[in-house]
Amino acid sequence: MAKIGIAVFGAGLIGKTHITRLLNSKESYLAGISDPSPAGEAMAKELNVPYTTNYEDFLANHQPAGVIVATPNATHVEIGIACLEKKIPALVEKPIADTLDEAQRLCDAEKEYKTPILIGHHRRHNAILKTAKEIIQSGKLGNMITANVMSTFLKPDNYFEMAWRREKGGGPILINLIHEIDLLRFLFGQIKKVQAVSSNQERGFEVEDTASVLLTFESGMIGTITLSDTVTSPYSWDMSSGESDHYPKQHINSHFLMGTHGTVTLPQLDLWSYSGSRSWFEEITQTRSAIHKMDPYEAQLNHFVKVIQGTEKTICSAEEGYKTLEATLAAKNAANTNTIITL
C-alpha cells in the first residue's frame, strides 16, 4: 500500500521525536511542518517539505491524511478541533488539555465530526505494558489487590532556569504524575477516588517537588504512587524501561502489580507465584517474560496509521485522555485541600 502523509504541528523536542519516526516509517511520510519558530522553518527547508508558520494556513492549503499536534498544551484543543472540522484524524500530544472544560470540548468535537483523535500517551504502546495487561487479564495474578509505583528521580538545577518550572503548574504532579496515572488506568481501568499529600520542602519553590498519591479504582483495587524529582534514585519508568536514550537504563523494577495469586513487576516482567500451596511459609517461584527493546513512539505512529485507515480503534481516545487528566488534576487538588476527591 502507498504511504500516507502525516503533518506535524510543532517542531519542538516532542515534535522532532515524531518527525524522526515519520522519516523512518515504512507506512507513512512527513507531509509538512507548521511551527512559528525559525528553527521549524529551517527544518522544513532541510527536509524539503511544505511549511507554514501557523496551522490555519497549513490546513487551508494542504490536506494531509493525518496531523500530529505537538504544540504547547494550551493549544491542543483549538488545533485538534480545527483538524476534526476538516475530517482529518489527529494525534494530540498529552495532556489532552490544560483544563477539564477544554478537554471536554475536544471529546465533544470527536463525536460531532465522527473523526478519531488519538491522545499521545505513548506508554500504552510499549510491548512491556501490553504484555503486563495480557498477564493481568489472563487471571494468572488472581484478583488484583494493589499496585505500588516508584517515580523518583533527580532533575538538575539548570532544569529550573525556566521560571514556569518553578511556578504553579510546573511541578512533577502535572508534568510527571500524569504518565503514571495513565499507565495504571490502562492496566486497571477507571479510578474512583484520589487522595494525595505533597511537599516543597527541599527546593522551596512555589511548586511541589515530592508527593504521595493514593488511588482507589472502581474494582476496589488500591494503587500508591511515590513521586519526587529531587532525590538521587533510579526508581522510575524512564530510567528502568529503556524507552528513551535520554536516560541511562537501569536493570531494575519500578512498578509492582500485586494480586491474590501472583505479582508482576515492571519493566522486567518478573512473575512471582506459588507452584503449590499459597502461603508466606512456602517457596515462591519467579519467572520472567523476555521483551526485546522497542520504540513506543514508532509503535504509536504505526497505530495512528491504522486508525487513519480505519482498521484499528484508538488505544487512547479523547475520552481516555480526559479521564487521565481528571485524575491527575484531582491529585493536585487533593494535595492542596487535604481532602478525598471522588471522580
Side-chain angles (χ1 to χ4, degrees):
M1 296 180 65
K3 288 186 175 184
I4 64 173
I6 297 175
V8 176
F9 292 177
L13 182 61
I14 190 62
K16 290 176 183 176
T17 298
H18 291 295
I19 288 169
T20 299
R21 273 59 179 184
L22 280 165
L23 294 175
N24 294 321
S25 174
K26 296 179 180 179
E27 300 177 333
S28 55
Y29 65 90
L30 179 63
I33 295 172
S34 179
D35 185 275
S37 71
E41 182 178 12
M43 183 184 303
K45 286 182 178 179
E46 179 183 350
L47 297 173
N48 193 30
V49 297
Y51 168 79
T52 64
T53 57
N54 64 75
Y55 73 89
E56 294 102 329
D57 287 347
F58 196 99
L59 293 175
N61 294 288
H62 304 281
Q63 186 69 26
V67 170
I68 296 175
V69 181
T71 55
N73 297 349
T75 65
H76 286 180
V77 171
E78 169 191 324
I79 298 175
I81 291 176
C83 293
L84 295 180
E85 288 174 342
K86 290 187 171 290
K87 299 292 185 178
I88 300 174
L91 192 171
V92 178
E93 265 301 332
K94 74 281 184 187
I96 181 175
D98 278 345
T99 69
L100 291 180
D101 287 342
E102 282 294 288
Q104 187 61 54
R105 287 182 58 214
L106 191 56
C107 292
D108 294 341
E110 183 180 28
K111 295 175 183 176
E112 178 182 354
Y113 295 104
K114 296 180 173 60
T115 301
I117 286 284
L118 173 64
I119 304 302
H121 284 288
H122 68 279
R123 290 188 188 178
R124 293 189 178 214
H125 303 271
N126 193 309
I128 296 169
L129 285 188
K130 289 183 177 181
T131 301
K133 190 165 188 174
E134 289 171 1
I135 291 172
I136 293 165
Q137 292 179 336
S138 73
K140 291 179 181 178
L141 306 184
N143 295 327
M144 297 308 302
I145 303 299
T146 186
N148 293 341
V149 172
M150 299 287 289
S151 183
T152 51
F153 43 87
L154 182 64
K155 291 177 180 174
D157 292 341
N158 61 10
Y159 175 88
F160 298 96
E161 290 175 358
M162 294 185 182
W164 69 268
R165 290 173 172 168
R166 306 189 300 269
E167 298 168 352
K168 183 179 179 180
I173 288 181
L174 295 182
I175 292 177
N176 305 105
L177 180 68
I178 193 167
H179 295 287
E180 308 306 337
I181 286 180
D182 192 72
L183 182 155
L184 292 177
R185 287 195 61 256
F186 176 65
L187 294 177
F188 303 113
Q190 180 63 349
I191 296 166
K192 183 178 180 180
K193 294 182 180 180
V194 181
Q195 298 168 253
V197 293
S198 65
S199 170
N200 64 349
Q201 173 183 317
E202 179 59 27
R203 293 196 180 97
F205 294 153
E206 179 181 333
V207 296
E208 76 286 345
D209 52 50
T210 302
S212 291
V213 181
L214 177 63
L215 308 171
T216 303
F217 290 79
E218 287 186 346
S219 66
M221 193 191 85
I222 294 173
T224 60
I225 304 173
T226 300
L227 173 73
S228 181
D229 66 8
T230 190
V231 294
T232 298
S233 166
Y235 296 104
S236 68
W237 181 262
D238 289 322
M239 296 178 72
S240 64
S241 69
E243 266 191 356
S244 173
D245 293 333
H246 295 305
Y247 309 101
K249 178 173 170 54
Q250 308 299 323
H251 297 282
I252 56 173
N253 287 304
S254 53
H255 293 58
F256 305 83
L257 318 175
M258 291 166 270
T260 54
H261 285 67
T263 286
V264 65
T265 59
L266 307 180
Q268 298 197 70
L269 289 168
D270 296 319
L271 177 59
W272 294 88
S273 61
Y274 292 108
S275 57
S277 299
R278 295 165 48 235
S279 165
W280 65 351
F281 296 113
E282 303 295 331
E283 292 289 341
I284 191 168
T285 60
Q286 177 192 19
T287 58
R288 176 173 292 181
S289 298
I291 296 292
H292 296 287
K293 182 175 173 60
M294 55 80 66
D295 181 355
Y297 286 101
E298 180 181 333
Q300 179 179 242
L301 176 59
N302 293 338
H303 172 61
F304 185 43
V305 169
K306 291 179 174 62
V307 168
I308 293 170
Q309 295 171 334
T311 59
E312 288 185 6
K313 293 185 178 180
T314 53
I315 289 177
C316 191
S317 64
E319 183 179 358
E320 280 292 287
Y322 177 100
K323 290 178 178 178
T324 292
L325 177 64
E326 179 187 31
T328 306
L329 293 176
K332 182 70 173 175
N333 189 20
N336 289 339
T337 61
N338 194 30
T339 58
I340 299 174
I341 307 297
T342 299
L343 305 184

